[in-house]
Amino acid sequence: MKPLEVLQQNLHKRVLVEMKGGRSYRGVLDAYDQHLNLVLSTAEEVLGGQVTPHPGVTLVRGDSIVYISP
Amino acid sequence: MKPLEVLQQNLHKRVLVEMKGGRSYRGVLDAYDQHLNLVLSTAEEVLGGQVTPHPGVTLVRGDSIVYISP
Amino acid sequence: MKPLEVLQQNLHKRVLVEMKGGRSYRGVLDAYDQHLNLVLSTAEEVLGGQVTPHPGVTLVRGDSIVYISP
Amino acid sequence: MKPLEVLQQNLHKRVLVEMKGGRSYRGVLDAYDQHLNLVLSTAEEVLGGQVTPHPGVTLVRGDSIVYISP
Amino acid sequence: MKPLEVLQQNLHKRVLVEMKGGRSYRGVLDAYDQHLNLVLSTAEEVLGGQVTPHPGVTLVRGDSIVYISP
Amino acid sequence: MKPLEVLQQNLHKRVLVEMKGGRSYRGVLDAYDQHLNLVLSTAEEVLGGQVTPHPGVTLVRGDSIVYISP
Amino acid sequence: MKPLEVLQQNLHKRVLVEMKGGRSYRGVLDAYDQHLNLVLSTAEEVLGGQVTPHPGVTLVRGDSIVYISP
């Protein structure tokens, strides 16, 4: 198994994405590429204990990601 | 679907671009490339609660971007 | 021997992963690639003395890793 | 349209270049390449509210640029 | 001579590895690659005056390394 | 014109090189390459208001450069 | 002349290597490659006014280097 297969297995499922700098997202994984660029839908952003809903989709740049957890 | 298709679908629509370092932009997406370099028109920059209008177009370098949200 | 063979030898075994910024993980190594992207299962995250269990799998981005220790 | 076409359209026109770290330049765009390396002429640098004229040309390294605005 | 030949000459010998951020390791060099990813065995980590033994092997990611000294 | 032609035009002339982190150099440009690695001769380094002469030549690594100004 | 020729001309001669983060080395240049990875012998490290001798050789990773001065 290669690491990106975890993303393939979790397409259209809810994932947690932890970013550099303390930001995190929880949303449905709609797309990914080999740079770990992700598209999340109906995501919530958490930063400093504050939750911000992201209606629609969010394109997250891979190089700011620390980990992705289904 | 690949992540950059989200940009294709949102060409000529208003997007929110969150940058590293706390800066963000809201503007019409006029162009993008595979590095996530973006062209925004009639953008507003938000930094530390202060809103600065960017008349005309703004070319935003992709490697400073954290996420893009339509 | 090449460094990544250490990962091959430790597939399905418990490893410690130390990250930039003081975060670390201890979990079972389920997958890796040449960028040192890792998949850990039943991992625990340690950050500032606080332990957080990660049920299921965690995809850790290689470029935030400092070292991996079986 | 690709993002760098904005630079082509603004050759020999005055642009604003915002850099990482709070520095910015305003000058005439004389040249650019695909790394966003730029040549500005008769530029002014702004850093911490202080304006410093750059007579002649200035070669600005692309990887320190946040955005370019005509 | 090319720099990496120093690593070849010191295979299976004790080396000191100084990392970005003040961490260092002293251990036996078991493997290396062209990215300066290293495998150390029976290593000791030094961070802020505190010594932590790393039993077994440690895979150190090359891009966090400042220097390696036999 | 491409940006690096500015360097070609200024070979063997005095240039100012501003670095990340507040350091700058003023010296004669003896050589350059596509990474913006530079060789300066009879350079002066300025850091925190203190000027240090660099007799002979100085090879400056391109990725620490912010801008070069003839 | 290309910048790396300065290194070729100074092989087996004493050079000063200034690193990101305030560290510097003075030692005999025994080897280099195109990434500016260097091997120094009989080097002295200077950090915060403190001089530490490095007996034997030191392999310095190129991407932490700011400048090299013969």
Side-chain angles (χ1 to χ4, degrees):
Chain A
M1 191 182 80
K2 283 290 153 193
L4 297 201
E5 292 179 30
V6 165
L7 298 179
Q8 185 61 35
Q9 291 164 5
N10 284 282
L11 266 182
H12 312 306
K13 295 183 186 160
R14 211 154 181 82
V15 297
L16 169 68
V17 181
E18 182 80 26
M19 309 288 285
K20 293 176 189 168
R23 202 188 297 259
S24 65
Y25 298 96
R26 192 173 283 281
V28 173
L29 179 65
D30 281 355
Y32 68 92
D33 64 19
Q34 79 275 20
H35 306 296
L36 294 192
N37 295 321
L38 305 179
V39 177
L40 301 177
S41 60
T42 63
E44 286 177 330
E45 179 184 307
V46 182
L47 178 59
Q50 193 181 345
V51 179
T52 311
H54 279 229
V57 296
T58 305
L59 168 51
V60 177
R61 194 174 155 90
D63 74 353
S64 291
I65 293 176
V66 177
Y67 73 81
I68 305 161
S69 191
Chain B
M1 189 181 80
K2 283 291 153 193
L4 297 201
E5 293 179 30
V6 166
L7 298 178
Q8 185 62 34
Q9 290 164 6
N10 284 282
L11 266 181
H12 313 305
K13 295 182 186 161
R14 210 152 182 84
V15 297
L16 169 68
V17 181
E18 181 80 26
M19 310 288 284
K20 292 175 189 169
R23 202 188 297 258
S24 65
Y25 298 96
R26 192 174 283 281
V28 173
L29 179 64
D30 280 354
Y32 68 91
D33 64 20
Q34 78 275 21
H35 307 295
L36 295 190
N37 294 321
L38 305 179
V39 177
L40 301 176
S41 61
T42 63
E44 285 177 332
E45 179 183 307
V46 182
L47 178 59
Q50 193 180 345
V51 179
T52 311
H54 280 228
V57 297
T58 305
L59 169 51
V60 177
R61 195 174 155 89
D63 74 353
S64 291
I65 294 175
V66 177
Y67 72 81
I68 305 161
S69 191
Chain C
M1 192 182 77
K2 283 291 154 191
L4 297 201
E5 293 179 30
V6 165
L7 297 179
Q8 186 61 35
Q9 291 164 4
N10 284 282
L11 266 182
H12 312 307
K13 296 184 186 159
R14 211 153 182 82
V15 297
L16 169 69
V17 181
E18 181 80 27
M19 310 288 284
K20 293 175 189 168
R23 203 188 297 258
S24 65
Y25 298 96
R26 192 173 283 281
V28 173
L29 179 65
D30 280 355
Y32 68 91
D33 65 18
Q34 79 276 19
H35 306 296
L36 294 192
N37 295 321
L38 305 179
V39 177
L40 301 177
S41 60
T42 63
E44 286 177 330
E45 179 183 308
V46 182
L47 178 59
Q50 193 180 345
V51 179
T52 311
H54 279 229
V57 297
T58 305
L59 169 52
V60 177
R61 197 176 153 89
D63 76 352
S64 291
I65 293 176
V66 177
Y67 72 80
I68 305 161
S69 192
Chain D
M1 189 181 80
K2 283 291 153 193
L4 298 201
E5 292 178 30
V6 166
L7 298 179
Q8 184 63 34
Q9 290 163 7
N10 284 282
L11 266 182
H12 313 304
K13 295 182 186 162
R14 210 152 184 83
V15 297
L16 170 68
V17 181
E18 181 81 25
M19 310 288 283
K20 293 175 190 168
R23 202 188 297 259
S24 66
Y25 298 96
R26 193 173 283 281
V28 174
L29 179 64
D30 281 354
Y32 68 92
D33 65 20
Q34 78 276 19
H35 307 295
L36 295 190
N37 295 321
L38 305 179
V39 177
L40 302 176
S41 60
T42 63
E44 284 177 332
E45 179 183 307
V46 182
L47 177 60
Q50 193 180 345
V51 178
T52 311
H54 280 228
V57 296
T58 305
L59 169 51
V60 177
R61 195 174 155 90
D63 74 353
S64 291
I65 294 175
V66 176
Y67 72 79
I68 305 161
S69 191
Chain E
M1 191 183 75
K2 283 290 155 191
L4 297 201
E5 293 179 29
V6 165
L7 298 179
Q8 185 61 36
Q9 290 163 5
N10 284 281
L11 266 182
H12 312 305
K13 296 183 186 160
R14 211 153 182 83
V15 297
L16 169 69
V17 181
E18 181 80 26
M19 310 288 284
K20 294 175 189 169
R23 202 188 297 258
S24 65
Y25 298 96
R26 193 173 283 281
V28 173
L29 179 65
D30 281 354
Y32 68 92
D33 65 19
Q34 80 275 19
H35 307 296
L36 294 192
N37 295 321
L38 305 180
V39 177
L40 301 178
S41 59
T42 62
E44 286 177 329
E45 179 183 309
V46 183
L47 178 58
Q50 193 180 345
V51 179
T52 311
H54 279 229
V57 297
T58 305
L59 169 52
V60 177
R61 197 176 152 88
D63 75 353
S64 291
I65 293 176
V66 177
Y67 72 80
I68 305 162
S69 192
Chain F
M1 189 181 81
K2 283 291 154 192
L4 297 202
E5 293 178 30
V6 166
L7 297 179
Q8 184 62 35
Q9 291 163 7
N10 284 281
L11 265 182
H12 313 304
K13 296 183 186 162
R14 210 151 183 84
V15 297
L16 170 68
V17 181
E18 182 80 26
M19 310 288 284
K20 294 175 189 168
R23 202 188 297 259
S24 66
Y25 299 96
R26 194 172 282 281
V28 173
L29 179 64
D30 280 354
Y32 68 92
D33 64 21
Q34 79 275 19
H35 307 295
L36 296 191
N37 295 321
L38 305 179
V39 177
L40 302 177
S41 59
T42 62
E44 286 177 331
E45 179 183 307
V46 182
L47 177 59
Q50 194 180 343
V51 179
T52 311
H54 280 228
V57 296
T58 305
L59 169 52
V60 177
R61 195 174 154 89
D63 74 353
S64 291
I65 293 176
V66 176
Y67 72 80
I68 305 161
S69 190
Chain G
M1 190 182 78
K2 283 290 155 191
L4 297 201
E5 293 179 30
V6 165
L7 297 179
Q8 185 62 35
Q9 291 163 6
N10 284 282
L11 265 182
H12 312 304
K13 296 183 186 161
R14 209 152 183 84
V15 297
L16 170 69
V17 181
E18 181 79 26
M19 310 288 283
K20 294 175 189 167
R23 203 188 296 259
S24 66
Y25 298 96
R26 193 173 283 281
V28 173
L29 180 64
D30 281 353
Y32 68 93
D33 65 21
Q34 79 275 19
H35 306 296
L36 294 191
N37 294 321
L38 305 179
V39 177
L40 301 177
S41 59
T42 62
E44 285 177 330
E45 179 183 309
V46 182
L47 177 59
Q50 193 180 345
V51 178
T52 311
H54 280 230
V57 296
T58 305
L59 168 53
V60 177
R61 196 176 153 90
D63 75 353
S64 291
I65 293 176
V66 176
Y67 72 80
I68 304 161
S69 191

